[in-house]
Each structure stands twice: as C-alpha cells, then as structure tokens.
C-alpha cells in the first residue's frame, strides 16, 4: 500500500522537475537569443574578419598543428620505446602512459586536420589545391604513426591481435583484450555516451542560432539531428541485442 501511495507523489515530483527545467531552459534560451541578436552584426563581422584571416594563412595553420601535435606524439612514442627497452615491469607501466599520451595527440591531430581542411575548402582560398595535398600527406603520416604505436603496444602485450590496416581490426583487438581492459573500454564508452547525450542538444541549439543569425540554413540542424539519432539508436540497438543474447 505504501508503494501505491508514493507513486502519485513520485510522479508529481517528476512533473515538477520537468516543469522547472522547461522554465529554466526557456529563460536561458530567451536570454541567449536576446544577447545573440543584440550583437548579431558585430559577431558576423568579427567572424568574417577571423575567417578571412585564416584563409590567408590556412597552409600555415595546417602545417603548424601537424608539426606540434606530431612532435608530441613522436616524443612520447620514443619515450615509450626507451622504457620498453629497460625490460622492467615499472618501465612497461610507464610506457603504457606514454603510449596513451602519444595516441591522444595523434588522434587529436587527425581531428584538427579535418577541421582545418574543411575550413580551407573555399573559393576565396588561392591555395586550396595545396591544402588538399597537405591534408592527404598529413593524414597519411598520422595513420602511419597510429600503426607504429599499435606495433609498439604489441611489444608489451604480445597476445594482442589485429593490424591497423585490417577491416576488422577493432573486433580482433577487443577479443584479445583481457577483462580489465575491456571494462576500461566499456566505462569509457559509456562516459562518452553520456557526454554526447548532453552535448548534442546543445549543438542543435547552436545550429538553430546559426540559422537565425548567419543564415547557415537547415543543413546543420538536420546534420546534428541525424548524428543525434544515430548516436541514440546505435546505443539502444546494442542494449537490446546484449539483453537478448548476452555479452559476446
């Protein structure tokens, strides 16, 4: 009986929280829209100024980020190699930390190269074809560094399987991981899901403001919603499959 009596109260609290969040969201949205439209002209001029400045030095930005992040990855790769050659457990643990840092810098290098390449694809960029060549070269080097890091990791963990060039590399790699490593991957993946679950609605609001302020059109709104739908759909699909068949 207590449970039945508490259900209306629980539902009331849920509805009250929903109403509160709607009110807070509406106030924040109104305030943001007011501020955005108040500085619309100045913001658009500032964005055009910085974008035109970027186009003048697009090649330098591409090369600069590649050199800096590539150097970070290479330095930590070499440090990890030095620790591995010591042949001690402490050295291998330190090498794992260095490899994680190198892999992070390498992955960020790839992301930034895609960003800068996309911004450089503009008719106003007189060196657009050179930007294409740099993008292809830099991404190839990043991919090669990832392959070297994977090979180096296998020196510490010889039971690891899979090569970067394999189409089913991720599957082979996960199958060769032990329970502790898999748990780290699972928790990291769930943490990523939670972050993206909060970030995608914010990006949808940004895309809407972009349409109202800068005439970016509907494509960014549709694109974010597609990513949002895929992100949620894939998570739900795997949850249902694992509940039905159990962990593989």
């Amino acid at each position: 009986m207590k449970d039945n009596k508490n259900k209306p109260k629980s539902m009331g609290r849920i509805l009250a929280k929903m109403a509160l969040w709607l009110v807070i969201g509406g106030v924040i949205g109104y305030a943001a829209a007011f501020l955005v439209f108040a500085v619309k002209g100045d913001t658009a001029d500032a964005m055009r100024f910085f974008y035109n400045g970027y186009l003048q030095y697009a090649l330098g930005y591409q090369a600069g980020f590649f050199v800096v992040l590539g150097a970070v990855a290479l330095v930590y790769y070499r440090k990890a190699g030095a620790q591995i050659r010591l042949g001690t457990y402490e050295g291998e643990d330190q090498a794992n930390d260095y490899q994680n840092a190198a892999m992070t810098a390498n992955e960020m290098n790839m992301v930034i190269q895609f960003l800068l390449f996309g911004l450089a694809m503009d008719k106003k960029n007189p060196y657009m074809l050179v930007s294409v060549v740099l993008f292809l070269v830099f991404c190839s080097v990043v991919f090669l560094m990832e392959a070297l890091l994977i090979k180096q990791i296998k020196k510490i963990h010889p039971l690891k399987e899979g090569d970067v060039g394999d189409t089913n590399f991720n599957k082979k790699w996960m199958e060769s991981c032990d329970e502790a490593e898999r748990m780290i991957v699972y928790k990291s993946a769930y943490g990523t899901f939670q972050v993206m679950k909060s970030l995608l609605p914010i990006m949808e609001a940004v895309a809407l403001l972009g349409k109202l302020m800068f005439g970016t059109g509907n494509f960014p709104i549709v694109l974010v919603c597609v990513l949002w739908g895929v992100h949620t759909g894939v998570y739900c699909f795997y949850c249902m499959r694992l509940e039905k068949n159990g962990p593989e």
Side-chain angles (χ1 to χ4, degrees), residues 136-152:
L136 295 175
V137 172
F138 293 163
C139 287
S140 298
V141 174
V142 170
F143 185 79
L144 177 62
M145 175 57 72
E146 182 179 358
L148 291 174
L149 285 166
I150 294 298
K151 185 177 180 180
Q152 189 184 69

Side-chain angles (χ1 to χ4, degrees), residues 70-86:
V72 172
L74 182 61
V75 167
Y76 279 110
Y77 169 77
R78 291 176 63 85
K79 284 186 175 183
Q83 292 296 322
I84 293 172
R85 287 191 291 271
L86 295 177

Side-chain angles (χ1 to χ4, degrees), residues 2-239:
K2 289 183 178 180
D3 292 339
N4 292 331
K5 290 181 179 179
N6 289 332
K7 283 183 179 179
K9 295 181 180 180
S10 177
M11 183 59 66
R13 287 195 294 268
I14 292 174
L15 293 175
K17 287 182 178 180
M18 290 177 60
L20 178 62
W21 281 113
L22 287 173
V23 171
I24 293 174
V27 172
I28 294 175
Y30 178 81
F34 177 80
L35 292 174
V36 164
F37 281 104
V39 299
K40 178 178 178 180
D42 294 337
T43 304
D45 293 338
M47 291 183 66
R48 280 192 293 268
F49 173 79
F50 284 111
Y51 179 63
N52 291 331
Y54 166 76
L55 288 179
Q56 292 180 2
Y57 304 101
L59 302 180
Y61 283 110
Q62 285 181 270
F65 276 100
F66 170 77
V67 170
V68 172
L69 291 174
V72 172
L74 182 61
V75 167
Y76 279 110
Y77 169 77
R78 291 176 63 85
K79 284 186 175 183
Q83 292 296 322
I84 293 172
R85 287 191 291 271
L86 295 177
T88 63
Y89 290 113
E90 293 79 6
E92 289 182 356
D93 288 339
Q94 187 64 58
N96 283 327
D97 294 336
Y98 288 147
Q99 287 166 344
N100 289 333
M103 191 68 75
T104 301
N106 202 52
E107 292 293 333
M108 290 304 300
N109 202 354
M110 179 69 80
V111 173
I112 291 176
Q113 288 304 318
F114 267 89
L115 171 63
L116 298 178
F117 170 70
L119 294 175
M121 291 298 98
D122 194 299
K123 293 181 180 180
K124 294 185 290 185
N125 181 7
Y127 304 107
M128 187 168 62
L129 293 179
V130 182
S131 292
V132 174
V133 174
L134 289 181
F135 172 75
L136 295 175
V137 172
F138 293 163
C139 287
S140 298
V141 174
V142 170
F143 185 79
L144 177 62
M145 175 57 72
E146 182 179 358
L148 291 174
L149 285 166
I150 294 298
K151 185 177 180 180
Q152 189 184 69
I153 292 172
K154 288 183 177 180
K155 291 182 180 180
I156 305 177
H157 308 284
L159 296 179
K160 296 290 187 183
E161 297 180 0
D163 294 315
V164 177
D166 294 341
T167 55
N168 57 348
F169 165 73
N170 291 327
K171 182 179 180 180
K172 287 184 177 180
W173 189 266
M174 281 297 297
E175 289 175 348
S176 64
C177 291
D178 58 30
E179 291 299 323
E181 291 172 325
R182 292 187 183 187
M183 184 58 65
I184 291 173
V185 173
Y186 297 155
K187 288 185 176 182
S188 299
Y190 184 71
T192 302
F193 170 78
Q194 292 295 334
V195 171
M196 295 305 298
K197 185 178 179 181
S198 301
L199 181 61
L200 284 168
I202 296 174
M203 298 308 298
E204 179 68 10
V206 172
L208 176 60
L209 290 176
K211 174 184 177 181
L212 297 175
M213 287 184 60
F214 309 112
T216 54
N218 294 319
F219 182 72
I221 298 175
V222 174
L223 182 61
V224 173
C225 282
V226 169
L227 294 175
W228 192 356
V230 171
H231 171 260
T232 304
V234 170
Y235 176 81
C236 293
F237 168 77
Y238 277 105
C239 284

